[in-house]
Amino acid sequence: MLKKGGAKEGSLHLAPQALVCKNAIIEGDVQIGNGTVVHVGASIIAKNGPIIIGSNNIISERAVIINRNSTPLMVGDYNLLETESQIEGRGIGHKNVIQVRGKVVGQSTLGNNCVVGAMCATDPDENVPDNTVLFGNPQARRIRADNNSEHLAMHMKHLEYIHEMLPRYNHIIEAE
């Protein structure tokens, strides 16, 4: 059992290349995949079931991932969770962007290659299909027209930069 960042006891499994700041809040049974970055002040809280985070994700400051269900909450690969975003549904796929204060709520799932715009949210029990963009006020939807390749290239450059710079200025949890 590990206690990290003032969190409740649970098990934390880090892949060797995961980069997790010590003052991130991690509670319960959590697995973090290779290359994933968890910034200062991010919260990953497995209340009732485990959280399994894939590889090469960026979980920004004050982002929250919380599992209130008994089944695992799965976060795919190459996702970007921006500042104060929140995931509390049943999971998200790959290559998604949850913008500032965007939310995946209730029992929702998010497909692959989706964008939840700033301050937008899924409906509480929604299965958002692949390539969906939630945006605007009032909130609207559309289907992505691009293949997300430019975003993925920029995401990888961002990850490379974070992996170089974050350990210089923050205390990092070492993989065991």
Side-chain angles (χ1 to χ4, degrees):
M1 299 297 213
L2 299 174
K3 260 180 122 173
K4 300 294 180 192
K8 294 179 183 174
E9 288 189 22
S11 63
L12 173 62
H13 301 282
L14 294 178
Q17 297 298 315
L19 194 61
V20 179
C21 291
K22 281 190 178 177
N23 42 0
I25 298 167
I26 300 175
E27 298 179 9
D29 296 324
V30 176
Q31 294 178 26
I32 299 176
N34 205 35
T36 290
V37 174
V38 180
H39 279 274
V40 172
S43 298
I44 302 172
I45 303 167
K47 279 193 179 261
N48 297 324
I51 296 175
I52 302 168
I53 299 172
S55 63
N56 297 309
N57 294 290
I58 300 172
I59 303 170
S60 299
E61 303 84 357
R62 296 186 313 275
V64 175
I65 302 172
I66 186 166
N67 188 2
R68 300 178 199 279
N69 302 308
S70 58
T71 57
L73 187 156
M74 308 289 287
V75 175
D77 303 328
Y78 302 100
N79 293 295
L80 172 59
L81 280 65
E82 293 183 357
T83 303
E84 294 186 12
S85 60
Q86 185 173 337
I87 305 295
E88 68 172 72
R90 290 181 289 144
I92 67 173
H94 309 292
K95 302 178 188 173
N96 295 297
V97 177
I98 315 299
Q99 292 181 345
V100 175
R101 294 186 181 171
K103 294 181 180 182
V104 177
V105 298
Q107 297 294 312
S108 295
T109 59
L110 192 65
N112 300 312
N113 198 34
C114 295
V115 176
V116 177
M119 299 180 64
C120 292
T122 62
D123 292 332
D125 295 309
E126 177 178 20
N127 292 321
V128 179
D130 293 352
N131 302 307
T132 300
V133 179
L134 285 68
F135 66 96
N137 184 12
Q139 186 168 301
R141 293 168 186 248
R142 68 174 178 82
I143 300 298
R144 273 185 98 136
D146 63 347
N147 65 4
N148 203 14
S149 60
E150 288 178 12
H151 168 73
L152 185 57
M154 187 59 91
H155 183 85
M156 294 309 293
K157 286 181 182 180
H158 190 184
L159 270 172
E160 183 180 325
Y161 178 77
I162 292 169
H163 274 272
E164 180 183 335
M165 298 305 289
L166 200 65
R168 292 183 185 184
Y169 304 104
N170 294 277
H171 299 284
I172 304 298
I173 298 172
E174 300 294 329
E176 296 177 12

